[in-house]
């Protein structure tokens, strides 16, 4: 049965139906659709718009539909969308009373409400997966407290750092994502129900009742905006996109650091793949795939932004395009977060190799300049002197570590015998104990602070 058949003489063409239908993908909304309808029916009963008995019959009917879908007894098929499916099924079960459910409601405020309920749950799932990943990163940072590795700028070795610093940097990114999801959820949790088709309703509804039953923070204050707003979907897609950006950066670093060339980390066999032709290969398919899926999630964000661009008020059918991309983005981002958290547990460190790398390529040069500056040489001059030392090392094929005190003293009288202990990677990392710095003690503080902030999110 079509919801609008009264006005029409001829049925819609088969292909027009297929093109128009959203049931194949919006059937995912069945549970929230029934939840919202239960609240709507209860409110209609409370306000005397339908009788208490009618409200009860409708609610019982809706509950029996939910039960049957849940246990697989009822297939979701044969309707235009999930809203028509549930309503048709209700009428099949309880007769004409079922036809009263749609009083003071339109599918426009219904779909907007359903989708908000669904996306609200998606934000909660996103938050859970983010929390899980942050915990895995903090665990890795703790394991890395004793290890020293080189930090990079321009992908050139820059300064030694405690390896835990690397993992905490990502934990910070995902903490921001967690905060963003929490904040977006707050804006998502506003109720369009009661907006009607676009202009509200002449029935004496009480939107506070439905609001409370559905645990929304409040009813939307403008019905035109209520039925047409999809900002909450765009926000989820943006939040997911930025999370994917962060994941893709982590993936790129992991791919690099597990190469034969770097060799700082190793991904366990359980999370690695081989080659069909090259027997020696151990490939990082999982981080590569996460990196690859980033583009797909960005695509869904841009698709929705384009759909809502220049869309006239209020509801337009274009808005039906808000769902498929969202469902896919949600699936991808959650899968990626969860597999990343799992894979991190399977990563081991080659601490000897990391430590060696942290002392190579003059990673300790800044500390030589800082040494002089602390002895009163203006930093710019100290920088120039150290630059000359590095150049002379390159020419002679030696290193800052192999240089003796006398060799340093030849460049500046401020050098003392202690300079040879300064140019050790471990000492350089330990020295950077400013707040937020890369020393093991600063990293330990960072871990504590991340754990404390993490606990603030439910
Ligand atoms: N399937 C529709 C959607 O997802 C439901 C709303 C239909 N409203 C309408 N006025 N045709 O947007």
């Amino acid at each position: 049965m079509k919801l609008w058949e009264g006005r029409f003489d001829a049925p819609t063409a088969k292909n027009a139906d297929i093109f128009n239908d959203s049931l194949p993908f919006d059937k995912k909304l069945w549970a929230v659709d029934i939840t919202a309808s239960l609240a709507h029916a209860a409110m209609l009963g409370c306000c005397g718009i339908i009788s208490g008995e009618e409200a009860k019959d409708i609610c019982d009917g809706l509950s029996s539909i939910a039960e049957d879908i849940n246990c697989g007894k009822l297939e979701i098929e044969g309707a235009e969308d999930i809203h028509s499916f549930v309503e048709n099924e209700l009428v099949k079960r309880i007769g004409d009373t079922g036809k009263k459910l749609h009083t003071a409601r339109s599918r426009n405020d219904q779909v907007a409400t359903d989708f908000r309920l669904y996306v609200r749950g998606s934000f909660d799932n996103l938050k859970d997966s983010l929390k899980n990943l942050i915990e895995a990163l903090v665990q890795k940072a703790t394991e890395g407290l004793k290890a020293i590795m080189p930090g990079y700028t321009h992908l050139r070795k820059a300064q030694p750092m405690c390896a835990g610093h690397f993992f905490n940097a990502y934990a910070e990114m995902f903490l921001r994502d967690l905060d963003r999801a929490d904040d977006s959820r707050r804006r998502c949790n506003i109720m369009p129900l009661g907006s009607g088709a676009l202009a509200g309703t002449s029935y004496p509804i009480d939107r506070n009742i439905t609001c409370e039953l559905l645990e929304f923070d409040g009813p939307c204050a403008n019905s035109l905006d209520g039925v047409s707003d999809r900002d909450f979907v765009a926000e989820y897609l943006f939040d997911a996109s930025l999370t994917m950006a962060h994941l893709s950066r982590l993936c790129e670093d992991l791919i690099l650091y597990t190469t034969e060339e770097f060799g700082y980390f190793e991904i366990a066999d359980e999370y690695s793949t081989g080659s069909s032709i090259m027997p020696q290969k151990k490939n990082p398919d999982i981080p590569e795939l996460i990196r690859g899926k980033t583009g797909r999630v960005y695509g869904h964000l841009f698709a929705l932004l384009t759909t809502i661009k220049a869309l006239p008020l209020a509801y337009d059918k274009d808005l039906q395009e808000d769902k498929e991309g969202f469902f896919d983005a949600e699936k991808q981002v959650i899968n990626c977060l969860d597999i990343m958290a799992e894979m991190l547990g399977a990563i081991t460190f080659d601490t000897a190799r990391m430590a060696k790398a942290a002392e190579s390529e003059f990673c300790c040069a800044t500390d030589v300049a800082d040494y002089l500056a602390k002895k009163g040489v203006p930093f710019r001059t100290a920088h120039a002197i150290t630059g000359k030392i590095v150049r002379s090392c390159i020419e002679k094929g030696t290193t800052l570590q192999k240089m003796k005190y006398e060799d340093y003293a030849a460049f500046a009288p401020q050098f003392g015998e202690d300079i040879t202990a300064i140019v050790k990677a471990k000492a350089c990392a330990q020295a950077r104990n400013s707040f937020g710095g890369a020393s093991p003690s600063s990293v330990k503080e960072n871990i504590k602070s991340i754990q404390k902030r993490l606990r603030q999110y439910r």
Side-chain angles (χ1 to χ4, degrees):
M1 182 188 79
K2 282 272 162 38
L3 298 176
W4 61 73
E5 61 187 7
R7 158 78 173 75
F8 289 75
D9 283 335
T12 30
K14 192 158 179 281
N15 281 338
D17 264 344
I18 293 170
F19 186 73
N20 198 43
D21 290 355
S22 54
L23 191 66
F25 52 87
D26 70 13
K27 59 164 98 169
K28 265 182 173 251
L29 299 178
W30 73 265
V32 286
D33 188 75
I34 290 178
T35 302
S37 286
L38 283 167
H40 180 67
M43 182 279 292
L44 291 176
C46 281
C47 297
I49 299 167
I50 59 176
S51 74
E53 201 176 318
E54 286 168 333
K56 190 182 173 305
D57 287 349
I58 290 174
C59 289
D60 289 348
L62 288 170
S63 301
S64 76
I65 295 171
E67 260 166 49
D68 290 355
I69 294 174
N70 239 337
C71 69
K73 229 167 89 185
L74 178 62
E75 279 287 334
I76 303 177
E77 60 190 4
E80 178 192 343
D81 57 22
I82 189 62
H83 324 292
S84 353
F85 173 82
V86 172
E87 196 177 321
N88 291 347
E89 188 61 32
L90 182 69
V91 174
K92 265 192 225 158
R93 290 183 185 214
I94 67 166
D96 275 356
T97 310
K99 296 183 179 169
K100 294 197 171 186
L101 171 62
H102 213 53
T103 314
R105 187 177 75 173
S106 154
R107 269 190 303 164
N108 298 350
D109 58 347
Q110 187 180 0
V111 69
T113 303
D114 289 3
F115 206 22
R116 277 185 191 257
L117 286 172
Y118 188 93
V119 176
R120 180 176 80 182
S122 304
F123 276 122
D124 290 335
N125 295 337
L126 180 60
K127 284 170 65 182
D128 285 344
S129 289
L130 283 164
K131 281 190 249 173
N132 183 42
L133 175 59
I134 294 166
E135 271 163 19
L137 285 163
V138 165
Q139 170 62 31
K140 236 45 215 169
T142 309
E143 287 169 31
L145 272 176
K146 284 210 169 74
I148 304 295
M149 69 185 286
Y152 292 81
T153 66
H154 310 267
L155 205 49
R156 304 289 188 271
K157 280 183 196 149
Q159 291 173 348
M161 60 180 198
C162 164
H165 207 41
F166 169 82
F167 294 99
N168 277 347
Y170 283 102
E172 291 286 349
M173 291 183 216
F174 295 114
L175 251 181
R176 287 196 296 277
D177 292 342
L178 177 58
D179 189 57
R180 200 171 292 108
D182 195 56
D183 194 41
S184 301
R185 185 201 192 277
R186 185 172 54 80
R187 274 183 295 279
C188 173
N189 203 28
I190 298 295
M191 189 189 73
L193 194 60
S195 297
L198 74 161
T201 176
S202 58
Y203 293 95
I205 59 169
D206 185 342
R207 298 182 71 197
N208 292 320
I209 295 177
T210 34
C211 213
E212 211 164 288
L213 288 171
L214 297 171
E215 293 175 21
F216 278 111
D217 292 334
C220 66
N222 181 299
S223 60
L224 265 186
D225 179 47
V227 293
S228 71
D229 174 25
R230 293 296 183 275
D231 291 1
F232 62 101
V233 190
E235 280 202 53
Y236 183 97
L237 292 172
F238 174 76
D239 294 356
S241 293
L242 198 50
T243 291
M244 290 303 299
H246 295 151
L247 278 170
S248 74
R249 293 185 71 174
L250 175 55
C251 289
E252 178 68 12
D253 275 337
L254 292 179
I255 292 164
L256 270 179
Y257 294 170
T258 53
T259 52
E260 291 87 356
E261 286 77 7
F262 283 75
Y264 303 157
F265 306 156
E266 183 166 359
I267 302 175
D269 288 0
E270 287 87 339
Y271 295 89
S272 303
T273 44
S275 153
S276 61
I277 172 170
M278 297 164 283
Q280 85 283 11
K281 292 287 293 270
K282 189 170 171 185
N283 290 331
D285 283 31
I286 290 181
E288 286 175 320
L289 201 49
I290 297 175
R291 193 177 57 182
K293 284 176 188 289
T294 307
R296 174 167 167 182
V297 176
Y298 288 5
H300 295 314
L301 169 64
F302 275 85
L304 182 74
L305 289 175
T306 310
T307 296
I308 60 181
K309 175 189 177 289
L311 198 69
L313 282 174
Y315 177 87
D316 303 280
K317 192 67 174 224
D318 314 44
L319 288 174
Q320 183 166 286
E321 283 296 304
D322 60 355
K323 292 173 199 69
E324 283 169 288
F326 169 84
F327 290 138
D328 184 59
E330 175 188 32
K331 185 170 149 200
Q332 302 313 322
V333 71
I334 296 293
N335 280 350
C336 290
L337 285 167
D338 292 352
I339 193 75
M340 175 57 88
E342 225 181 286
M343 187 181 64
L344 277 174
I347 285 179
T348 49
F349 305 152
D350 186 338
T351 48
R353 198 161 164 148
M354 276 155 60
K356 199 170 160 224
E359 244 166 43
S360 66
E361 316 302 339
F362 308 99
C363 268
C364 301
T366 311
D367 298 78
V368 175
D370 286 343
Y371 177 94
L372 289 175
K374 285 172 192 165
K375 296 258 162 134
V377 181
F379 180 76
R380 195 46 62 216
T381 312
H383 185 290
I385 294 170
T386 310
K388 282 193 188 118
I389 295 175
V390 169
R391 224 174 68 198
S392 125
C393 281
I394 295 172
E395 279 160 11
K396 293 184 183 143
T398 187
T399 66
L400 293 177
Q401 287 73 33
K402 283 188 195 141
M403 276 178 65
K404 305 220 156 38
Y405 153 62
E406 297 77 29
D407 303 330
Y408 280 103
F411 284 92
Q414 288 85 353
F415 280 118
E417 290 189 11
D418 55 345
I419 183 62
T420 52
I422 297 283
V423 293
K424 300 275 183 264
K426 198 170 172 187
C428 295
Q430 266 164 359
R432 291 206 165 70
N433 58 4
S434 52
F435 177 78
S439 76
S441 62
S442 300
V443 170
K444 224 178 197 167
E445 284 308 309
N446 195 186
I447 289 174
K448 274 197 235 155
S449 143
I450 291 166
Q451 286 169 328
K452 188 173 165 210
R453 280 176 281 154
L454 191 56
R455 282 196 292 273
Q456 288 168 8
Y457 298 94
R458 282 186 298 123

